[in-house]
């Protein structure tokens, strides 16, 4: 490997794997995944070939939103284990060369967090201003028209003090007041607490929500809003999200990470500064502002376009080009194909196109984030109404907004517990768990898991596919094509997003196939015209 690649920070060359701890591996038979379970599966992640594990929240929580309602930022919920379990997990991960990124949920706490308990106790208390309290509107009712993401008003009246508090999500998730310097200081200390325990970075929950309009103005109605996209979409969130002042807050978070790295507090062998990843759902032109004018905000503002676009070649070609063009100089791109909030890729595009999608995710320029289970082509599960867990499904039943389907336990093998638990899993397993599981696919060289492993190994072996440049190759119809290049090594990636035969004109370029979704063309010479079968993607090294 050459020098430039070695010196690129891991979060540029590497692949992030999201673990939803509740659903990854249960170690004690209570049907809920936990940290000792994740620890048991580190060998699998190292074998798979990813570089970092991002853990969704494992902090003490009443679990109103399955851990995104934090009651103590510096602990581990007993359901997930102990702080000692976390420390052992970090140590074991590092011993395998895996980085650990933790979820940081700064926009809101749990209503049971001691800060909120104190805040709501009286209007005069020292922590009153840590949250957003307002008087009722003249004549009664919520102070303004703001809507909560999961439905209803974003304001809940607290009878005891006669004021409303703001919550962008559930009433059990009151929003912190980030204009208060004490809140900032307390949250910076939380980052330091985990940095001192050796974490390699943070994925910051709803980072673009942190600041709200100081005058609490009403949001305007959204023209043509579609209730299938969520109840809060009825209004344009111009006063509740992406406020100009939020960038200063993000810079403040970044400074804590950079200072920690500069102080040399990183444990031995961890030379890279910790990474700051931001969860941001915005159009790309506004998204890229979260890199910061001096690249002093997020290292990776999550790019969710592949979760949201229709799966069509023209849409994807345009989105890649638009994103590449929007990136500020020096900013490093990233791509996300799945997470715990969206229907799984194999359900959205079907199993054959999910293989094409895997090639796309792992060959585009930018850090890929892979959601646990997508590497085996796991599909959404059907959740009968009686088994619904997600509060979003409860508040908007039957619309397809609920997130239980993509949160099913990881099927490691067949059998009733699917190797996930010896007990009763918190969500049912999929109907296809007998075949769509890790142990079956591990031994099948044509499986989705084998494809992921091959792609991850190729990325690791070929810096062009990790840190190389990107250039589009003119294509039409169902084809998306581009070239990745680094220090004289060039790779063509050609993907057929449709089910029919397609051809791609290569001009004078020639090369040899190194990998394809069908895993049967390796070594084939390509020149003049590359023919792609339906649902096929190939990677070829160019001469
Ligand atoms: C983020 C999380 C989601 C959670 C919400 C509120 O979008 O990914 O799961 O419900 O924030 O914390
Ligand atoms: Ca458990």
């Amino acid at each position: 490997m050459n020098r430039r690649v070695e010196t690129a920070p891991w979060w540029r060359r590497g692949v992030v794997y999201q673990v939803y701890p509740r659903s990854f591996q249960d170690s004690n038979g209570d049907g809920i995944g936990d940290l000792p379970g994740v620890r048991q599966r580190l060998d699998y992640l190292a074998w798979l070939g990813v570089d970092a594990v991002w853990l969704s929240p494992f902090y003490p929580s009443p679990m109103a939103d399955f851990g995104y309602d934090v009651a103590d930022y510096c602990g581990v919920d007993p359901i997930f284990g102990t702080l000692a379990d976390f420390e052992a997990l970090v140590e074991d991960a590092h011993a395998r060369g895996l980085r650990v990124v933790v979820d940081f949920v700064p926009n809101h706490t749990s209503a049971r967090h001691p800060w909120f308990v104190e805040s709501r106790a009286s209007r005069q208390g020292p922590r009153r201003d840590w949250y957003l309290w307002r008087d009722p509107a003249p004549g009664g009712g919520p102070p303004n028209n703001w809507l909560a993401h999961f439905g209803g008003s974003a304001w809940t009246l607290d009878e005891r003090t006669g004021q409303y508090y703001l919550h962008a999500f559930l009433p059990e998730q009151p929003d912190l007041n980030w204009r208060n310097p004490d809140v900032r200081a307390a949250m910076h200390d939380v980052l330091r607490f985990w940095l001192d325990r050796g974490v390699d970075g943070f994925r910051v929950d709803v980072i673009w929500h942190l600041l709200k309009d100081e005058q609490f103005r009403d949001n305007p109605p959204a023209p043509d809003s579609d209730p299938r996209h969520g109840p809060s979409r009825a209004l344009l969130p111009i006063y509740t999200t992406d406020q100009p002042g939020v960038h200063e807050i993000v810079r403040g978070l970044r400074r804590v990470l950079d200072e920690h790295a500069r102080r040399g507090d990183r444990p031995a062998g961890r030379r890279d500064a910790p990474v700051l990843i931001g969860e941001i759902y915005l159009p790309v032109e506004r998204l890229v502002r979260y890199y910061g004018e001096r690249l002093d905000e997020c290292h990776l503002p999550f790019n969710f376009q592949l979760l949201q676009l229709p799966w069509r070649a023209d849409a994807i070609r345009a989105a890649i080009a638009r994103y590449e063009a929007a990136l500020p100089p020096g900013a490093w791109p990233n791509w996300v194909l799945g997470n715990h909030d969206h229907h799984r890729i194999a359900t959205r595009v079907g199993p054959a196109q999910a293989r094409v999608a895997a090639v796309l995710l792992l060959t585009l320029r930018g850090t890929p984030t892979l959601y646990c289970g997508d590497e085996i082509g796991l599909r959404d599960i059907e959740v009968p109404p009686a088994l619904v867990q997600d509060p979003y499904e409860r508040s908007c039943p039957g619309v397809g907004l609920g997130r239980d389907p993509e949160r099913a336990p990881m099927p490691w093998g067949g059998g009733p517990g699917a190797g996930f638990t010896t007990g009763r899993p918190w969500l049912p397993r999929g109907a296809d768990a007998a075949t769509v599981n890790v142990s079956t696919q591990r031994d099948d060289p044509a499986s989705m898991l084998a494809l992921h492993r091959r792609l991850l190994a190729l990325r690791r072996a070929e810096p062009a596919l990790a840190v190389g440049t990107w250039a589009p190759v003119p294509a039409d119809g169902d084809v998306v094509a581009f070239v990745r290049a680094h220090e004289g090594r060039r790779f063509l990636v050609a993907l057929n997003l449709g089910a029919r035969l397609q051809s791609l004109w290569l001009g004078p370029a020639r090369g040899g196939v190194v990998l394809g979704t069908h895993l049967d063309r390796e070594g084939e010479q390509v020149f003049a015209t590359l023919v792609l079968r339906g649902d096929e993607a190939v990677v070829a090294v160019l001469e």
Side-chain angles (χ1 to χ4, degrees):
M1 218 187 263
N2 63 61
R3 266 194 65 242
R4 252 173 65 202
V5 175
E6 273 176 14
T7 53
W10 69 265
W11 51 265
R12 286 189 182 229
R13 18 169 242 271
V15 176
V16 179
Y17 182 95
Q18 180 190 357
V19 163
Y20 193 68
R22 263 189 109 73
S23 300
F24 201 57
Q25 177 67 58
D26 175 22
S27 70
N28 62 354
D30 65 357
I32 298 174
D34 44 52
L35 296 182
V38 179
R39 208 176 148 204
Q40 288 167 23
R41 294 296 182 184
L42 289 174
D43 282 332
Y44 166 76
L45 296 178
W47 170 84
L48 178 62
V50 296
D51 298 84
V53 186
W54 148 34
L55 297 165
S56 279
F58 49 78
Y59 314 108
S61 166
M63 304 291 167
D65 190 18
F66 295 106
Y68 283 96
D69 47 324
V70 179
D72 172 5
Y73 286 102
C74 299
V76 172
D77 195 283
I79 207 120
F80 294 127
T82 62
L83 196 53
D85 291 329
F86 177 79
E87 286 169 342
L89 169 57
V90 171
E91 197 182 323
D92 285 4
H94 287 168
R96 286 162 181 76
L98 292 164
R99 317 283 169 146
V100 178
V101 172
V102 296
D103 222 301
F104 177 55
V105 189
N107 179 68
H108 42 268
T109 68
S110 160
R112 302 233 202 110
H113 194 294
W115 297 341
F116 188 69
V117 173
E118 198 182 322
S119 184
R120 82 191 311 174
S122 88
R123 288 198 188 202
Q124 282 77 39
R127 289 233 164 81
R128 184 63 166 184
D129 184 52
W130 279 42
Y131 294 82
L132 294 155
W133 293 98
R134 306 293 287 170
D135 287 332
N144 67 21
N145 74 347
W146 293 356
L147 296 173
H149 183 76
F150 296 136
S153 170
W155 297 96
T156 290
L157 179 65
D158 196 48
E159 304 280 352
R160 190 150 29 139
T161 57
Q163 283 191 311
Y164 283 82
Y165 66 89
L166 182 73
H167 51 87
F169 297 88
L170 297 171
E172 292 90 339
Q173 293 167 296
D175 280 31
L176 282 163
N177 175 15
W178 273 82
R179 292 184 197 274
N180 183 319
D182 295 337
V183 168
R184 297 188 191 197
M187 293 305 266
H188 289 178
D189 281 345
V190 172
L191 294 174
R192 293 187 191 103
F193 176 89
W194 294 105
L195 289 169
D196 287 343
R197 271 151 197 84
V199 306
D200 300 283
F202 300 89
R203 173 269 189 190
V204 185
D205 194 61
V206 296
I207 199 169
W208 86 113
H209 272 256
L210 291 179
L211 211 63
K212 287 88 185 169
D213 181 43
E214 214 164 0
Q215 299 168 52
F216 294 90
R217 282 169 279 187
D218 275 356
N219 278 327
D224 317 317
S225 83
D226 183 339
R228 283 171 309 178
H229 294 150
S232 67
R233 296 285 193 94
L235 300 178
L236 292 173
I238 63 169
Y239 293 121
T240 38
T241 62
D242 197 28
Q243 301 298 292
V246 76
H247 293 280
E248 192 213 319
I249 295 175
V250 181
R251 283 196 293 276
L253 301 177
R254 171 70 178 268
R255 268 199 303 276
V256 174
L257 273 58
D258 288 349
E259 275 162 19
H260 197 272
R262 262 203 304 281
R263 280 211 319 271
D265 292 352
R266 310 293 298 145
R270 303 255 85 83
R271 272 164 304 139
D272 296 333
V275 68
L276 190 66
I277 305 176
E279 187 204 21
I280 302 157
Y281 287 90
L282 284 176
V284 293
E285 288 73 18
R286 280 156 67 199
L287 169 69
V288 297
R289 292 190 203 146
Y290 286 77
Y291 284 104
E293 272 170 30
R294 296 189 178 78
L295 300 185
D296 51 0
E297 297 184 26
C298 296
H299 297 99
L300 303 173
F302 263 150
N303 163 21
F304 292 127
Q305 293 181 90
L306 295 179
L307 288 173
Q308 295 168 316
L309 286 169
W311 196 251
R312 282 200 332 257
D314 56 350
I316 305 262
R317 283 194 301 258
I320 302 169
R322 182 170 156 209
Y323 179 57
E324 281 282 349
L327 288 168
W332 184 248
N334 76 89
W335 295 92
V336 180
L337 197 58
N339 65 29
H340 63 297
D341 294 327
H342 293 270
H343 297 304
R344 284 191 179 270
I345 183 69
T347 296
R348 284 187 277 131
V349 304
Q353 277 297 318
R355 295 175 75 99
V356 175
V359 176
L360 184 67
L361 175 72
L362 296 173
T363 59
L364 277 170
R365 190 175 84 105
T367 305
T369 299
L370 184 61
Y371 179 46
C372 58
D374 282 351
E375 77 274 26
I376 56 169
L378 199 61
R379 275 176 278 187
D380 284 0
I381 53 158
E382 300 242 7
V383 184
L387 297 180
V388 165
Q389 307 283 331
D390 183 21
Y392 205 6
E393 181 65 28
R394 293 226 167 94
S395 60
C396 312
V399 194
L401 294 167
R403 302 165 297 176
D404 292 331
E406 62 267 19
R407 294 177 177 178
M410 183 77 175
W412 297 99
F420 164 74
T421 182
T422 53
R424 201 179 130 83
W426 76 285
L427 277 172
R429 62 180 192 143
D432 52 7
T435 50
V436 183
N437 68 57
V438 173
S439 83
T440 306
Q441 293 195 15
R442 229 184 151 117
D443 303 322
D444 173 1
S447 68
M448 183 70 155
L449 182 57
L451 175 66
H452 274 85
R453 211 169 157 245
R454 296 271 303 272
L455 279 164
L456 289 161
L458 184 63
R459 260 186 80 95
R460 200 175 287 276
E462 297 289 356
L465 291 173
V467 297
T469 57
W470 171 91
V473 172
D476 50 22
D478 290 333
V479 178
V480 174
F482 48 87
V483 169
R484 303 288 315 277
H486 183 73
E487 303 197 332
R489 211 90 174 125
R490 296 197 311 138
F491 287 85
L492 167 74
V493 181
L495 312 108
N496 182 354
L497 270 64
R500 285 185 316 237
L501 205 74
Q502 300 279 321
S503 54
L504 176 71
W505 172 238
L506 297 180
R510 21 183 345 118
V513 174
V514 290
L515 186 57
T517 41
H518 295 38
L519 298 165
D520 61 357
R521 287 177 77 168
E522 287 70 23
E524 182 188 317
Q525 292 302 303
V526 293
F527 55 93
T529 300
L530 173 65
V531 174
L532 293 169
R533 290 168 285 180
D535 306 315
E536 184 176 39
V538 302
V539 182
V541 61
L542 298 177
E543 281 165 17

